[in-house]
PDB file of all heavy atoms in Angstrom:
ATOM      1  N   PRO A 704       0.721   8.273 -16.636  1.00  0.00           N
ATOM      2  CA  PRO A 704       1.236   9.517 -16.095  1.00  0.00           C
ATOM      3  C   PRO A 704       2.371  10.083 -16.919  1.00  0.00           C
ATOM      4  O   PRO A 704       3.172   9.299 -17.461  1.00  0.00           O
ATOM      5  CB  PRO A 704       1.660   9.179 -14.675  1.00  0.00           C
ATOM      6  CG  PRO A 704       1.930   7.678 -14.742  1.00  0.00           C
ATOM      7  CD  PRO A 704       0.948   7.137 -15.726  1.00  0.00           C
ATOM      8  N   CYS A 705       2.472  11.372 -16.990  1.00  0.00           N
ATOM      9  CA  CYS A 705       3.605  12.037 -17.640  1.00  0.00           C
ATOM     10  C   CYS A 705       4.338  12.834 -16.549  1.00  0.00           C
ATOM     11  O   CYS A 705       3.954  13.994 -16.221  1.00  0.00           O
ATOM     12  CB  CYS A 705       3.115  12.983 -18.754  1.00  0.00           C
ATOM     13  SG  CYS A 705       4.453  13.839 -19.596  1.00  0.00           S
ATOM     14  N   VAL A 706       5.279  12.215 -15.871  1.00  0.00           N
ATOM     15  CA  VAL A 706       5.944  12.815 -14.772  1.00  0.00           C
ATOM     16  C   VAL A 706       6.670  14.101 -15.207  1.00  0.00           C
ATOM     17  O   VAL A 706       7.437  14.099 -16.186  1.00  0.00           O
ATOM     18  CB  VAL A 706       6.986  11.826 -14.163  1.00  0.00           C
ATOM     19  CG1 VAL A 706       7.780  12.491 -13.010  1.00  0.00           C
ATOM     20  CG2 VAL A 706       6.296  10.576 -13.674  1.00  0.00           C
ATOM     21  N   GLY A 707       6.372  15.164 -14.518  1.00  0.00           N
ATOM     22  CA  GLY A 707       7.003  16.444 -14.839  1.00  0.00           C
ATOM     23  C   GLY A 707       6.126  17.386 -15.638  1.00  0.00           C
ATOM     24  O   GLY A 707       6.430  18.562 -15.743  1.00  0.00           O
ATOM     25  N   ASP A 708       5.007  16.869 -16.214  1.00  0.00           N
ATOM     26  CA  ASP A 708       4.111  17.748 -16.954  1.00  0.00           C
ATOM     27  C   ASP A 708       3.202  18.459 -15.984  1.00  0.00           C
ATOM     28  O   ASP A 708       2.004  18.137 -15.844  1.00  0.00           O
ATOM     29  CB  ASP A 708       3.324  16.922 -17.982  1.00  0.00           C
ATOM     30  CG  ASP A 708       2.380  17.785 -18.802  1.00  0.00           C
ATOM     31  OD1 ASP A 708       2.612  19.001 -18.847  1.00  0.00           O
ATOM     32  OD2 ASP A 708       1.415  17.226 -19.388  1.00  0.00           O
ATOM     33  N   ILE A 709       3.742  19.449 -15.332  1.00  0.00           N
ATOM     34  CA  ILE A 709       3.016  20.130 -14.271  1.00  0.00           C
ATOM     35  C   ILE A 709       1.846  20.923 -14.784  1.00  0.00           C
ATOM     36  O   ILE A 709       0.769  20.992 -14.198  1.00  0.00           O
ATOM     37  CB  ILE A 709       4.021  21.020 -13.470  1.00  0.00           C
ATOM     38  CG1 ILE A 709       5.116  20.146 -12.847  1.00  0.00           C
ATOM     39  CG2 ILE A 709       3.270  21.782 -12.376  1.00  0.00           C
ATOM     40  CD1 ILE A 709       6.313  20.948 -12.383  1.00  0.00           C
ATOM     41  N   ASP A 710       2.053  21.563 -15.929  1.00  0.00           N
ATOM     42  CA  ASP A 710       1.010  22.453 -16.473  1.00  0.00           C
ATOM     43  C   ASP A 710       0.052  21.719 -17.442  1.00  0.00           C
ATOM     44  O   ASP A 710      -0.778  22.396 -18.071  1.00  0.00           O
ATOM     45  CB  ASP A 710       1.631  23.697 -17.143  1.00  0.00           C
ATOM     46  CG  ASP A 710       2.493  23.324 -18.349  1.00  0.00           C
ATOM     47  OD1 ASP A 710       2.603  22.147 -18.697  1.00  0.00           O
ATOM     48  OD2 ASP A 710       3.091  24.253 -18.963  1.00  0.00           O
ATOM     49  N   LEU A 711       0.184  20.419 -17.508  1.00  0.00           N
ATOM     50  CA  LEU A 711      -0.779  19.573 -18.220  1.00  0.00           C
ATOM     51  C   LEU A 711      -0.912  19.910 -19.719  1.00  0.00           C
ATOM     52  O   LEU A 711      -1.979  19.818 -20.315  1.00  0.00           O
ATOM     53  CB  LEU A 711      -2.176  19.704 -17.591  1.00  0.00           C
ATOM     54  CG  LEU A 711      -2.262  19.475 -16.076  1.00  0.00           C
ATOM     55  CD1 LEU A 711      -3.684  19.687 -15.561  1.00  0.00           C
ATOM     56  CD2 LEU A 711      -1.759  18.112 -15.683  1.00  0.00           C
ATOM     57  N   ASP A 712       0.219  20.306 -20.344  1.00  0.00           N
ATOM     58  CA  ASP A 712       0.177  20.623 -21.772  1.00  0.00           C
ATOM     59  C   ASP A 712       0.711  19.525 -22.664  1.00  0.00           C
ATOM     60  O   ASP A 712       0.878  19.702 -23.859  1.00  0.00           O
ATOM     61  CB  ASP A 712       0.913  21.937 -22.065  1.00  0.00           C
ATOM     62  CG  ASP A 712       2.435  21.793 -21.795  1.00  0.00           C
ATOM     63  OD1 ASP A 712       2.849  20.776 -21.259  1.00  0.00           O
ATOM     64  OD2 ASP A 712       3.147  22.785 -22.120  1.00  0.00           O
ATOM     65  N   GLY A 713       0.991  18.346 -22.067  1.00  0.00           N
ATOM     66  CA  GLY A 713       1.413  17.229 -22.885  1.00  0.00           C
ATOM     67  C   GLY A 713       2.914  17.099 -23.076  1.00  0.00           C
ATOM     68  O   GLY A 713       3.382  16.197 -23.797  1.00  0.00           O
ATOM     69  N   GLU A 714       3.690  17.963 -22.495  1.00  0.00           N
ATOM     70  CA  GLU A 714       5.137  17.892 -22.582  1.00  0.00           C
ATOM     71  C   GLU A 714       5.779  18.496 -21.353  1.00  0.00           C
ATOM     72  O   GLU A 714       5.178  19.330 -20.649  1.00  0.00           O
ATOM     73  CB  GLU A 714       5.632  18.597 -23.850  1.00  0.00           C
ATOM     74  CG  GLU A 714       5.364  20.089 -23.905  1.00  0.00           C
ATOM     75  CD  GLU A 714       5.914  20.684 -25.172  1.00  0.00           C
ATOM     76  OE1 GLU A 714       7.135  20.943 -25.232  1.00  0.00           O
ATOM     77  OE2 GLU A 714       5.130  20.869 -26.118  1.00  0.00           O
ATOM     78  N   VAL A 715       6.988  18.087 -21.098  1.00  0.00           N
ATOM     79  CA  VAL A 715       7.766  18.594 -19.988  1.00  0.00           C
ATOM     80  C   VAL A 715       8.778  19.616 -20.561  1.00  0.00           C
ATOM     81  O   VAL A 715       9.582  19.261 -21.406  1.00  0.00           O
ATOM     82  CB  VAL A 715       8.517  17.487 -19.246  1.00  0.00           C
ATOM     83  CG1 VAL A 715       9.303  18.052 -18.062  1.00  0.00           C
ATOM     84  CG2 VAL A 715       7.514  16.431 -18.761  1.00  0.00           C
ATOM     85  N   GLY A 716       8.652  20.870 -20.135  1.00  0.00           N
ATOM     86  CA  GLY A 716       9.496  21.877 -20.700  1.00  0.00           C
ATOM     87  C   GLY A 716       9.679  23.078 -19.797  1.00  0.00           C
ATOM     88  O   GLY A 716       9.462  23.010 -18.579  1.00  0.00           O
ATOM     89  N   PRO A 717      10.063  24.214 -20.374  1.00  0.00           N
ATOM     90  CA  PRO A 717      10.378  25.388 -19.560  1.00  0.00           C
ATOM     91  C   PRO A 717       9.231  25.879 -18.648  1.00  0.00           C
ATOM     92  O   PRO A 717       9.478  26.329 -17.558  1.00  0.00           O
ATOM     93  CB  PRO A 717      10.718  26.465 -20.624  1.00  0.00           C
ATOM     94  CG  PRO A 717      11.162  25.676 -21.799  1.00  0.00           C
ATOM     95  CD  PRO A 717      10.382  24.393 -21.790  1.00  0.00           C
ATOM     96  N   SER A 718       7.999  25.768 -19.135  1.00  0.00           N
ATOM     97  CA  SER A 718       6.883  26.225 -18.323  1.00  0.00           C
ATOM     98  C   SER A 718       6.726  25.382 -17.050  1.00  0.00           C
ATOM     99  O   SER A 718       6.311  25.876 -15.999  1.00  0.00           O
ATOM    100  CB  SER A 718       5.568  26.212 -19.122  1.00  0.00           C
ATOM    101  OG  SER A 718       5.308  24.916 -19.609  1.00  0.00           O
ATOM    102  N   ASP A 719       7.044  24.106 -17.174  1.00  0.00           N
ATOM    103  CA  ASP A 719       6.987  23.230 -15.990  1.00  0.00           C
ATOM    104  C   ASP A 719       8.087  23.569 -15.004  1.00  0.00           C
ATOM    105  O   ASP A 719       7.876  23.562 -13.778  1.00  0.00           O
ATOM    106  CB  ASP A 719       7.053  21.748 -16.437  1.00  0.00           C
ATOM    107  CG  ASP A 719       5.926  21.378 -17.378  1.00  0.00           C
ATOM    108  OD1 ASP A 719       4.790  21.495 -17.002  1.00  0.00           O
ATOM    109  OD2 ASP A 719       6.275  21.015 -18.542  1.00  0.00           O
ATOM    110  N   LEU A 720       9.285  23.821 -15.530  1.00  0.00           N
ATOM    111  CA  LEU A 720      10.370  24.192 -14.696  1.00  0.00           C
ATOM    112  C   LEU A 720      10.106  25.517 -13.988  1.00  0.00           C
ATOM    113  O   LEU A 720      10.379  25.641 -12.775  1.00  0.00           O
ATOM    114  CB  LEU A 720      11.650  24.320 -15.522  1.00  0.00           C
ATOM    115  CG  LEU A 720      12.906  24.784 -14.762  1.00  0.00           C
ATOM    116  CD1 LEU A 720      13.278  23.822 -13.663  1.00  0.00           C
ATOM    117  CD2 LEU A 720      14.121  24.931 -15.768  1.00  0.00           C
ATOM    118  N   SER A 721       9.496  26.446 -14.687  1.00  0.00           N
ATOM    119  CA  SER A 721       9.132  27.714 -14.082  1.00  0.00           C
ATOM    120  C   SER A 721       8.150  27.509 -12.960  1.00  0.00           C
ATOM    121  O   SER A 721       8.237  28.114 -11.880  1.00  0.00           O
ATOM    122  CB  SER A 721       8.521  28.664 -15.123  1.00  0.00           C
ATOM    123  OG  SER A 721       8.085  29.851 -14.547  1.00  0.00           O
ATOM    124  N   ALA A 722       7.130  26.646 -13.172  1.00  0.00           N
ATOM    125  CA  ALA A 722       6.143  26.361 -12.113  1.00  0.00           C
ATOM    126  C   ALA A 722       6.832  25.717 -10.912  1.00  0.00           C
ATOM    127  O   ALA A 722       6.512  26.114  -9.740  1.00  0.00           O
ATOM    128  CB  ALA A 722       5.077  25.430 -12.656  1.00  0.00           C
ATOM    129  N   MET A 723       7.761  24.796 -11.139  1.00  0.00           N
ATOM    130  CA  MET A 723       8.446  24.145 -10.033  1.00  0.00           C
ATOM    131  C   MET A 723       9.219  25.188  -9.220  1.00  0.00           C
ATOM    132  O   MET A 723       9.174  25.198  -7.966  1.00  0.00           O
ATOM    133  CB  MET A 723       9.364  23.052 -10.565  1.00  0.00           C
ATOM    134  CG  MET A 723      10.202  22.398  -9.490  1.00  0.00           C
ATOM    135  SD  MET A 723      11.220  21.012 -10.088  1.00  0.00           S
ATOM    136  CE  MET A 723       9.958  19.759 -10.301  1.00  0.00           C
TER     137      MET A 723
END
Side-chain angles (χ1 to χ4, degrees):
C705 180
V706 177
D708 181 19
I709 300 165
D710 62 3
L711 309 178
D712 65 353
E714 63 179 279
V715 181
S718 59
D719 302 299
L720 178 59
S721 176
M723 176 176 285

